[in-house]
């Protein structure tokens, strides 16, 4: 078995064009999935590709490189719209996991309970996919196609997460529900980004995770929030807004409970985000 | 491709070989030859002798392997060694040289923050970056920094205190007296806090072969092997199956019930049961492909109801109806009393498998020495291991030596054999040292569990608040094999009354076999389960009668001179009333605060509700109506060195310290003057198993007797009076008798085979008497008593529970070491809280520490321990056991507090947010 360790993206993509490999960055999903078995494929370690680690702003918005860690997100000078993503970053596993695990890896792992997905959906993120000689961009909602399934084809990897520009005064938030503190798989979670305008929500994006095979935006709720007074966002949450969710019963909770809890999380989250938008403080 | 980046690895690929990876480890440049995907944790432990890095899960779920990578905490098990090339890696061993590390080690010792010590390196490493940034961090900051490291012993509170106090006064504070009752740091703490403690996977020689056990993936399956000889030849390995066992393919901790094979024969009876093992070089084992075995799933019964059905498959031919055994205690006439009771409360109570989840998986190594086999492994019961293992190996016990390693948590499950047969058979078959450390999933699948319970109980009371009739029936899922199931079946009826006066009582229990993992011993042996039923029903009765819950319990509390449900009358030493009295002011305060909080919450429209709940427990120390002596040996060398052969396994609870304190006090010397020789079946006598809250009582008494006997010998030799003082000095013992002081000359005395001139071996066995067919008798010489007050907040909209505080009153008779008492109580409460709120082992679903949740540092509230000392005449200095007592009241106290807060009456654990929310909705709908 080989271990490939490129230092440039082009080299990584060239390696990816060959026989199948396991892409290794933070290792926080790769090694647990492997367990005690021998690695089935060569590793392609992309953690030395410096250009992939950057978080940077450009005319098209923010670009979060594929190997940027959760701790990088926490430490990055991101605007208030990213506060939900930052809050999610602090809730991922533990400090150890946040220091190693990458945001892009969280998307590629495609767990229904991936902490990063709702916050990035609320930010309207796209996923930049690279292969040797080509790049394409897909909306995050189309990137995660099911539990443990993504739109990646053989020879492709995520090169970055792209977040479109948000107004400077947009505010984001995130709420996670688990059965314990730290190191916990979410039972339900919610994230929102609200763009305030004259005391009202000009627009909002809202997403819920762990309540279906993939995290989902809630378009009907987003419509209901548009134009609502900031201090009354929580009241706009109605049961029918949760229709896109398809929660299941599992060891962490019943489907009924998940939907009930999601509605509560959404109302609390929107209350907080609305208050933060009103005060100009970050929640 | 850039040559600089890829050429070296491409070259390795061609050779498919290991590569030398250089990095800076603890300040020194090192190089390790590692295979391509080797985890950093493995490279550090196996190639760089950095065994202060512990491995608990290999999945980032426990944090035991936390190291600093360029200053940032990461789990070494999630890092490929090649990823750290050219970087800086710091482990505890290196960080101890930093100012933060040094102060932290001191604080960990001072606060008793290490119990078993397996999580300690990870905890300390995780704390170092925090302390470097903030020498006096807040509790919230400590929790955030340490939230990724699990501990199963301490309940985290002393760890939090140690980190917050790392900048506090250092060890040069004057040493306290170290006699009985002194709050001294554990005497074996240095190794634990410095990462030098040697646990089960830390002792094997570098050239040891490795075992991989092959296990059934089905709860019940027939299996056949392919060509094993071919497989062995092709891989250069040795294969072990049932056919390779020289002795009997059977073991079990209770010999009449021994029924568990080392390797299943033809049919596997639970998911995770061993069918074969492969022994070979570490690299070979790591790269093994599929083992030639084919399984055919068979219809399985996985709950006691199904197992008792008419046509259910029988697990053991001699046990019809899959009933392993039953237990019974009958006193008075329960049904008649219930018929005349003014109120009757009843309910059905259920609990799932609970996993011990010690952070150290089962591990050890074995080696043949001459015609003997020596086994170095993590265990709670070395002599039981010896007696269980020798017949498997076809050897007399003299040909087997058990040398326990340090134990990274046990809680009952390391009483049973685990890795020992595989490593011993492997060593005998190959002639090489052989090691085995279970993976986390393997540990969870194959080790014993807390018995799932299904209890139906009815308890009556009269209008004046006295218990009037108690009827209890409990089925316990004992899994595929007996293990400690008979003990659970016996103990539950004896204890299900709780520490109360119940004149009319009928309690029946049954252990039922299923195709589940074997249930065994887990802190409390079924009593924590039965306490939930009893204490929730007591809450019902108090409520129905309109009596304050504490007053109701106090009124029914057992007292001196009052018979237990077994008809045993203690004329002294019953301390439950004192526990309730100690809690009374705290309960009044807690209820008042909850009332004020809830009034404010209602006014503010908040969904938060505060609750305060109570529960009590008792537990008989030592075996039930059976002999279980401990023997302790001590001696003095010709040079005057005092040596204590301390065979009571210290699994983190502190036996090394407590037994030594008792011994030293009896001998009349400081603790520091006593050198310990640990458990080792060749040189240390049997101090019994570390189980059943027996070591302080039973081994403590043996140590007291040994110390007193040795003292008498020394004074006789010195021709000194009884109140002479023995002073250990560098030059030997000096005896101060009245005004005279003289060195004790031992040179003329003969030296025995262990090198002692004077030696005292003493035993103690608690006086008990058999129980009759109605369970009447003297099951235990001593009970310990406890009552807990839990304060918590329920988020009624989400069903989440936040623990706010525990106040725990424990009658320990005499606290030999109050620091260790607190440690036991805090750790027990954490386990009880896990059982109450989050823990459920489900084969095939929660087989790792990612899906099986135990409390983290963020879940444990402050604990105020109220030490009650109602001495018992049997105990050393009046001391009673404590190990199990500390978690028995916890879960029912939590359920009663949830009920007080929210109105939700829960009868099933764990009370997950989903379950609590459903119960709240049900309570609201019922209104």
């Amino acid at each position: 078995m080989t271990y490939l360790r490129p230092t440039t993206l082009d080299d990584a993509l060239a390696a990816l064009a060959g026989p199948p490999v396991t892409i290794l960055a933070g290792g926080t999903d790769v090694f647990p999935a492997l367990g005690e078995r021998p690695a089935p494929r060569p590793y392609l370690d992309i953690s030395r590709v410096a250009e992939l680690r950057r978080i940077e702003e450009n005319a098209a918005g923010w670009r979060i490189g594929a190997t940027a860690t959760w701790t990088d997100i926490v430490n990055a000078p991101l605007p208030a719209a990213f506060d939900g993503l930052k809050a999610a970053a602090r809730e991922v596993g533990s400090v150890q996991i946040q220091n190693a695990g990458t945001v892009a890896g969280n998307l590629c792992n495609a767990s229904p309970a991936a902490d990063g997905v709702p916050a990035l959906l609320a930010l309207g993120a796209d996923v930049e996919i690279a292969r040797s000689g080509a790049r394409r961009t897909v909306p995050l909602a189309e990137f995660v196609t099911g539990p443990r399934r993504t739109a990646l084809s053989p020879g492709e990897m995520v090169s970055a997460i792209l977040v479109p520009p948000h107004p400077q005064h947009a505010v984001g938030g995130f709420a996670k529900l688990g059965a314990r503190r730290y190191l916990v798989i979410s039972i339900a979670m919610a994230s929102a980004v609200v763009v305030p305008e004259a005391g009202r929500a000009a627009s909002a994006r809202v997403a819920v995770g762990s309540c279906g095979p993939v995290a989902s935006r809630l378009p009907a709720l987003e419509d209901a929030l548009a134009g609502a007074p900031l201090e009354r966002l929580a009241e706009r949450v109605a049961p029918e807004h949760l229709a896109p969710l398809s929660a299941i019963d599992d060891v962490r909770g019943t489907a009924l409970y998940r939907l009930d809890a999601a509605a509560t999380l959404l109302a609390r989250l929107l209350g907080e985000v609305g208050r933060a938008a009103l005060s100009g403080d970050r929640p | 491709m850039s040559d600089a980046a890829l050429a070296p690895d491409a070259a390795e690929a061609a050779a498919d070989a290991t590569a030398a990876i250089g990095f800076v480890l603890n300040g020194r440049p090192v190089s390790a030859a590692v295979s391509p995907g080797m985890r950093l944790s493995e490279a550090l432990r196996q190639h760089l002798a950095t065994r202060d890095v512990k491995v608990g899960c290999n999945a980032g779920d426990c944090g035991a392997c936390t190291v600093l990578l360029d200053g940032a905490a990461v789990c070494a098990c999630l890092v490929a060694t090649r990823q750290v090339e050219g970087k800086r890696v710091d482990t505890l061993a290196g960080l101890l040289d930093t100012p933060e590390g040094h102060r932290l080690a001191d604080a960990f010792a001072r606060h008793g923050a290490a119990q078993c010590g397996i999580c300690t390196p990870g905890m300390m490493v995780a704390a170092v970056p925090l302390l470097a940034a903030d020498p006096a961090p807040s509790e919230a900051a400590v929790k955030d920094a340490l939230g990724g490291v699990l501990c199963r012993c301490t309940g985290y509170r002393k760890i939090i205190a140690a980190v917050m106090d790392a900048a506090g006064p250092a060890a040069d504070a004057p040493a306290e007296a170290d006699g009985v009752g002194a709050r001294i740091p554990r005497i074996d703490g240095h190794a634990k806090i410095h990462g030098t403690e040697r646990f089960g996977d830390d002792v094997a020689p570098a050239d040891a072969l490795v075992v991989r056990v092959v296990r059934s993936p089905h709860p019940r399956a027939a299996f056949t092997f392919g060509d094993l000889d071919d497989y062995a030849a092709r891989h250069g390995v040795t294969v072990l199956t049932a056919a390779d066992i020289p002795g009997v393919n059977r073991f079990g901790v209770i010999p009449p019930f021994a029924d568990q094979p080392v390797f299943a024969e033809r049919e596997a009876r639970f998911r995770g049961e061993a069918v074969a093992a492969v022994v070979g070089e570490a690299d070979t084992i790591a790269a093994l492909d599929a083992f030639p075995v084919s399984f055919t799933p068979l219809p399985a019964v996985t709950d006691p109801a199904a197992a008792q059905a008419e046509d259910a498959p029988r697990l053991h031919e001699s046990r019809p109806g899959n009933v392993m055994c039953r237990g019974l205690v009958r006193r008075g006439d329960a049904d008649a009393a219930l018929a005349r009771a003014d109120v009757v409360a009843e309910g059905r109570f259920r609990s799932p498998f609970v996993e011990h989840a010690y952070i150290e998986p089962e591990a050890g190594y074995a080696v043949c020495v001459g015609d003997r086999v020596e086994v170095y492994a993590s265990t709670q019961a070395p002599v039981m291991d010896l007696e269980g293992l020798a017949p498997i190996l076809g050897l007399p016990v003299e040909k087997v030596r058990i040398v326990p390693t340090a134990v990274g948590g046990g809680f009952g499950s390391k009483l049973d054999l685990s890795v020992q047969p595989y490593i011993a058979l492997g060593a005998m078959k190959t002639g090489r040292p052989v090691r085995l450390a279970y993976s986390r999933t393997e540990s969870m699948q194959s080790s014993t569990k807390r018995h799932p319970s299904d209890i139906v109980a009815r308890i009556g009371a009269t209008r004046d608040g006295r218990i009037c009739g108690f009827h209890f029936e409990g089925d316990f899922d004992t899994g595929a094999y007996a293990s400690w199931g008979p003990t659970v079946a016996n103990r539950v009826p004896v204890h299900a009354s709780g520490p109360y006066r119940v004149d009319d009582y009928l309690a029946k229990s049954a252990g039922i076999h299923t195709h589940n993992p074997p249930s065994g011993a887990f802190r409390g042996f079924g009593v924590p389960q039965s306490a939930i039923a009893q204490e929730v029903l007591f809450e019902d009765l108090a409520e129905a009668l309109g009596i304050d819950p504490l007053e109701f319990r106090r009124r029914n509390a057992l007292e001196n001179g009052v018979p237990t449900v077994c008809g045993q009358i203690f004329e002294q030493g019953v301390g439950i009333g004192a526990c309730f009295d100690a809690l009374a002011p705290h309960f009044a305060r807690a209820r008042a605060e909850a009332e004020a909080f809830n009034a404010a919450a209602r006014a503010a429209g908040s969904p938060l509700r505060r609750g305060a709940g109570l529960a009590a427990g008792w537990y008989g120390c030592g075996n039930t109506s059976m002999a279980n002596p401990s023997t302790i040996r001590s001696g003095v060398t010709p040079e005057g060195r005092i040596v204590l052969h301390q065979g009571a396994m210290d699994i983190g609870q502190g036996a090394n310290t407590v037994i030594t304190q008792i011994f030293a006090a009896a001998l009349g010397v400081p603790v520091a003057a006593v050198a310990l020789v640990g458990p080792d079946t060749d040189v240390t006598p049997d101090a019994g198993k570390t189980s059943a809250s027996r070591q302080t009582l039973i081994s403590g008494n043996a140590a007291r007797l040994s110390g007193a006997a040795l003292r008498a010998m020394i004074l006789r030799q010195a021709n000194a009076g009884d109140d002479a003082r023995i002073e250990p000095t560098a030059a030997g013992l000096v005896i101060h008798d009245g005004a005279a002081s003289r060195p004790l000359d031992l040179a003329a005395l003969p030296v025995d085979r262990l090198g002692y001139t004077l030696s005292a071996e003493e035993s103690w066995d608690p006086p008990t008497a058999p129980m009759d067919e109605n369970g009447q008798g003297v099951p235990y010489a001593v009970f310990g008593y406890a009552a807990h007050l839990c304060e918590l907040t329920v988020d009624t909209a989400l069903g989440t529970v936040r623990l706010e505080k525990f106040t725990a009153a424990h009658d320990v008779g005499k606290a030999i070491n109050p620091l260790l008492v607190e440690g036991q109580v805090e750790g027990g409460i954490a386990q009880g809280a896990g059982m109450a709120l989050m823990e459920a082992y489900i084969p095939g679903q929660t087989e790792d520490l990612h899906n099986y949740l135990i409390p983290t540092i963020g879940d444990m509230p402050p604990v105020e321990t109220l030490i009650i000392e109602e001495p018992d005449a049997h105990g050393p200095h009046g001391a009673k056991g404590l190990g199990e007592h500390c978690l028995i009241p916890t879960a029912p106290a939590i359920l009663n507090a949830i009920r007080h807060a929210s109105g939700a009456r829960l009868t099933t654990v764990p009370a997950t947010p989903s379950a609590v929310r459903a119960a709240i909705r049900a309570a609201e709908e019922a209104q």
Side-chain angles (χ1 to χ4, degrees), chain A residues 65-77:
Chain A
T67 62
T69 65
W70 293 108
T71 299
D72 292 340
I73 294 290
V74 169
N75 293 335

mmCIF file with all atom_site columns, all heavy atoms in Angstrom, chain A residues 65-77:
data_model
loop_
_atom_site.group_PDB
_atom_site.id
_atom_site.type_symbol
_atom_site.label_atom_id
_atom_site.label_alt_id
_atom_site.label_comp_id
_atom_site.label_asym_id
_atom_site.label_entity_id
_atom_site.label_seq_id
_atom_site.pdbx_PDB_ins_code
_atom_site.Cartn_x
_atom_site.Cartn_y
_atom_site.Cartn_z
_atom_site.occupancy
_atom_site.B_iso_or_equiv
_atom_site.pdbx_formal_charge
_atom_site.auth_seq_id
_atom_site.auth_comp_id
_atom_site.auth_asym_id
_atom_site.auth_atom_id
_atom_site.pdbx_PDB_model_num
ATOM 1  N N   . GLY A 1 65 ? -11.082 26.701 2.034  1.00 0.00 ? 65 GLY A N   1
ATOM 2  C CA  . GLY A 1 65 ? -10.313 25.640 1.398  1.00 0.00 ? 65 GLY A CA  1
ATOM 3  C C   . GLY A 1 65 ? -10.664 24.268 1.971  1.00 0.00 ? 65 GLY A C   1
ATOM 4  O O   . GLY A 1 65 ? -11.149 24.146 3.094  1.00 0.00 ? 65 GLY A O   1
ATOM 5  N N   . ALA A 1 66 ? -10.389 23.254 1.189  1.00 0.00 ? 66 ALA A N   1
ATOM 6  C CA  . ALA A 1 66 ? -10.849 21.902 1.530  1.00 0.00 ? 66 ALA A CA  1
ATOM 7  C C   . ALA A 1 66 ? -10.248 21.364 2.817  1.00 0.00 ? 66 ALA A C   1
ATOM 8  O O   . ALA A 1 66 ? -10.833 20.494 3.452  1.00 0.00 ? 66 ALA A O   1
ATOM 9  C CB  . ALA A 1 66 ? -10.526 20.947 0.383  1.00 0.00 ? 66 ALA A CB  1
ATOM 10 N N   . THR A 1 67 ? -9.079  21.849 3.210  1.00 0.00 ? 67 THR A N   1
ATOM 11 C CA  . THR A 1 67 ? -8.492  21.301 4.438  1.00 0.00 ? 67 THR A CA  1
ATOM 12 C C   . THR A 1 67 ? -8.570  22.279 5.603  1.00 0.00 ? 67 THR A C   1
ATOM 13 O O   . THR A 1 67 ? -7.941  22.066 6.644  1.00 0.00 ? 67 THR A O   1
ATOM 14 C CB  . THR A 1 67 ? -7.025  20.860 4.238  1.00 0.00 ? 67 THR A CB  1
ATOM 15 O OG1 . THR A 1 67 ? -6.256  22.013 3.875  1.00 0.00 ? 67 THR A OG1 1
ATOM 16 C CG2 . THR A 1 67 ? -6.913  19.802 3.154  1.00 0.00 ? 67 THR A CG2 1
ATOM 17 N N   . ALA A 1 68 ? -9.355  23.342 5.450  1.00 0.00 ? 68 ALA A N   1
ATOM 18 C CA  . ALA A 1 68 ? -9.568  24.245 6.589  1.00 0.00 ? 68 ALA A CA  1
ATOM 19 C C   . ALA A 1 68 ? -10.283 23.463 7.693  1.00 0.00 ? 68 ALA A C   1
ATOM 20 O O   . ALA A 1 68 ? -11.262 22.757 7.437  1.00 0.00 ? 68 ALA A O   1
ATOM 21 C CB  . ALA A 1 68 ? -10.396 25.444 6.162  1.00 0.00 ? 68 ALA A CB  1
ATOM 22 N N   . THR A 1 69 ? -9.763  23.583 8.898  1.00 0.00 ? 69 THR A N   1
ATOM 23 C CA  . THR A 1 69 ? -10.342 22.831 10.021 1.00 0.00 ? 69 THR A CA  1
ATOM 24 C C   . THR A 1 69 ? -11.438 23.647 10.699 1.00 0.00 ? 69 THR A C   1
ATOM 25 O O   . THR A 1 69 ? -11.591 24.853 10.454 1.00 0.00 ? 69 THR A O   1
ATOM 26 C CB  . THR A 1 69 ? -9.267  22.508 11.071 1.00 0.00 ? 69 THR A CB  1
ATOM 27 O OG1 . THR A 1 69 ? -8.819  23.750 11.643 1.00 0.00 ? 69 THR A OG1 1
ATOM 28 C CG2 . THR A 1 69 ? -8.086  21.760 10.449 1.00 0.00 ? 69 THR A CG2 1
ATOM 29 N N   . TRP A 1 70 ? -12.143 22.975 11.593 1.00 0.00 ? 70 TRP A N   1
ATOM 30 C CA  . TRP A 1 70 ? -13.172 23.677 12.380 1.00 0.00 ? 70 TRP A CA  1
ATOM 31 C C   . TRP A 1 70 ? -12.536 24.766 13.226 1.00 0.00 ? 70 TRP A C   1
ATOM 32 O O   . TRP A 1 70 ? -13.110 25.840 13.398 1.00 0.00 ? 70 TRP A O   1
ATOM 33 C CB  . TRP A 1 70 ? -13.920 22.673 13.269 1.00 0.00 ? 70 TRP A CB  1
ATOM 34 C CG  . TRP A 1 70 ? -14.735 21.701 12.468 1.00 0.00 ? 70 TRP A CG  1
ATOM 35 C CD1 . TRP A 1 70 ? -14.480 20.384 12.271 1.00 0.00 ? 70 TRP A CD1 1
ATOM 36 C CD2 . TRP A 1 70 ? -15.923 22.003 11.725 1.00 0.00 ? 70 TRP A CD2 1
ATOM 37 N NE1 . TRP A 1 70 ? -15.437 19.837 11.455 1.00 0.00 ? 70 TRP A NE1 1
ATOM 38 C CE2 . TRP A 1 70 ? -16.328 20.798 11.112 1.00 0.00 ? 70 TRP A CE2 1
ATOM 39 C CE3 . TRP A 1 70 ? -16.662 23.157 11.522 1.00 0.00 ? 70 TRP A CE3 1
ATOM 40 C CZ2 . TRP A 1 70 ? -17.464 20.718 10.310 1.00 0.00 ? 70 TRP A CZ2 1
ATOM 41 C CZ3 . TRP A 1 70 ? -17.802 23.090 10.722 1.00 0.00 ? 70 TRP A CZ3 1
ATOM 42 C CH2 . TRP A 1 70 ? -18.183 21.885 10.128 1.00 0.00 ? 70 TRP A CH2 1
ATOM 43 N N   . THR A 1 71 ? -11.353 24.484 13.753 1.00 0.00 ? 71 THR A N   1
ATOM 44 C CA  . THR A 1 71 ? -10.669 25.507 14.544 1.00 0.00 ? 71 THR A CA  1
ATOM 45 C C   . THR A 1 71 ? -10.288 26.694 13.665 1.00 0.00 ? 71 THR A C   1
ATOM 46 O O   . THR A 1 71 ? -10.363 27.850 14.096 1.00 0.00 ? 71 THR A O   1
ATOM 47 C CB  . THR A 1 71 ? -9.421  24.897 15.220 1.00 0.00 ? 71 THR A CB  1
ATOM 48 O OG1 . THR A 1 71 ? -9.869  23.848 16.096 1.00 0.00 ? 71 THR A OG1 1
ATOM 49 C CG2 . THR A 1 71 ? -8.658  25.923 16.032 1.00 0.00 ? 71 THR A CG2 1
ATOM 50 N N   . ASP A 1 72 ? -9.899  26.423 12.420 1.00 0.00 ? 72 ASP A N   1
ATOM 51 C CA  . ASP A 1 72 ? -9.618  27.530 11.490 1.00 0.00 ? 72 ASP A CA  1
ATOM 52 C C   . ASP A 1 72 ? -10.857 28.408 11.326 1.00 0.00 ? 72 ASP A C   1
ATOM 53 O O   . ASP A 1 72 ? -10.756 29.633 11.254 1.00 0.00 ? 72 ASP A O   1
ATOM 54 C CB  . ASP A 1 72 ? -9.204  26.978 10.111 1.00 0.00 ? 72 ASP A CB  1
ATOM 55 C CG  . ASP A 1 72 ? -7.845  26.275 10.138 1.00 0.00 ? 72 ASP A CG  1
ATOM 56 O OD1 . ASP A 1 72 ? -7.063  26.521 11.075 1.00 0.00 ? 72 ASP A OD1 1
ATOM 57 O OD2 . ASP A 1 72 ? -7.578  25.487 9.204  1.00 0.00 ? 72 ASP A OD2 1
ATOM 58 N N   . ILE A 1 73 ? -12.025 27.771 11.240 1.00 0.00 ? 73 ILE A N   1
ATOM 59 C CA  . ILE A 1 73 ? -13.273 28.539 11.103 1.00 0.00 ? 73 ILE A CA  1
ATOM 60 C C   . ILE A 1 73 ? -13.490 29.407 12.339 1.00 0.00 ? 73 ILE A C   1
ATOM 61 O O   . ILE A 1 73 ? -13.807 30.600 12.249 1.00 0.00 ? 73 ILE A O   1
ATOM 62 C CB  . ILE A 1 73 ? -14.477 27.582 10.919 1.00 0.00 ? 73 ILE A CB  1
ATOM 63 C CG1 . ILE A 1 73 ? -14.376 26.839 9.583  1.00 0.00 ? 73 ILE A CG1 1
ATOM 64 C CG2 . ILE A 1 73 ? -15.803 28.331 11.045 1.00 0.00 ? 73 ILE A CG2 1
ATOM 65 C CD1 . ILE A 1 73 ? -14.606 27.705 8.364  1.00 0.00 ? 73 ILE A CD1 1
ATOM 66 N N   . VAL A 1 74 ? -13.302 28.809 13.518 1.00 0.00 ? 74 VAL A N   1
ATOM 67 C CA  . VAL A 1 74 ? -13.516 29.557 14.757 1.00 0.00 ? 74 VAL A CA  1
ATOM 68 C C   . VAL A 1 74 ? -12.588 30.768 14.802 1.00 0.00 ? 74 VAL A C   1
ATOM 69 O O   . VAL A 1 74 ? -12.988 31.861 15.230 1.00 0.00 ? 74 VAL A O   1
ATOM 70 C CB  . VAL A 1 74 ? -13.281 28.639 15.986 1.00 0.00 ? 74 VAL A CB  1
ATOM 71 C CG1 . VAL A 1 74 ? -13.235 29.449 17.270 1.00 0.00 ? 74 VAL A CG1 1
ATOM 72 C CG2 . VAL A 1 74 ? -14.362 27.565 16.055 1.00 0.00 ? 74 VAL A CG2 1
ATOM 73 N N   . ASN A 1 75 ? -11.352 30.582 14.338 1.00 0.00 ? 75 ASN A N   1
ATOM 74 C CA  . ASN A 1 75 ? -10.362 31.656 14.446 1.00 0.00 ? 75 ASN A CA  1
ATOM 75 C C   . ASN A 1 75 ? -10.387 32.655 13.288 1.00 0.00 ? 75 ASN A C   1
ATOM 76 O O   . ASN A 1 75 ? -9.719  33.679 13.351 1.00 0.00 ? 75 ASN A O   1
ATOM 77 C CB  . ASN A 1 75 ? -8.954  31.053 14.543 1.00 0.00 ? 75 ASN A CB  1
ATOM 78 C CG  . ASN A 1 75 ? -8.756  30.298 15.851 1.00 0.00 ? 75 ASN A CG  1
ATOM 79 O OD1 . ASN A 1 75 ? -9.414  30.578 16.849 1.00 0.00 ? 75 ASN A OD1 1
ATOM 80 N ND2 . ASN A 1 75 ? -7.863  29.316 15.841 1.00 0.00 ? 75 ASN A ND2 1
ATOM 81 N N   . ALA A 1 76 ? -11.130 32.357 12.244 1.00 0.00 ? 76 ALA A N   1
ATOM 82 C CA  . ALA A 1 76 ? -11.115 33.230 11.066 1.00 0.00 ? 76 ALA A CA  1
ATOM 83 C C   . ALA A 1 76 ? -11.962 34.488 11.312 1.00 0.00 ? 76 ALA A C   1
ATOM 84 O O   . ALA A 1 76 ? -12.975 34.436 12.002 1.00 0.00 ? 76 ALA A O   1
ATOM 85 C CB  . ALA A 1 76 ? -11.652 32.469 9.851  1.00 0.00 ? 76 ALA A CB  1
ATOM 86 N N   . PRO A 1 77 ? -11.526 35.620 10.731 1.00 0.00 ? 77 PRO A N   1
ATOM 87 C CA  . PRO A 1 77 ? -12.275 36.883 10.910 1.00 0.00 ? 77 PRO A CA  1
ATOM 88 C C   . PRO A 1 77 ? -13.476 36.936 9.964  1.00 0.00 ? 77 PRO A C   1
ATOM 89 O O   . PRO A 1 77 ? -13.488 37.685 8.998  1.00 0.00 ? 77 PRO A O   1
ATOM 90 C CB  . PRO A 1 77 ? -11.221 37.941 10.554 1.00 0.00 ? 77 PRO A CB  1
ATOM 91 C CG  . PRO A 1 77 ? -10.335 37.257 9.549  1.00 0.00 ? 77 PRO A CG  1
ATOM 92 C CD  . PRO A 1 77 ? -10.325 35.792 9.906  1.00 0.00 ? 77 PRO A CD  1
#
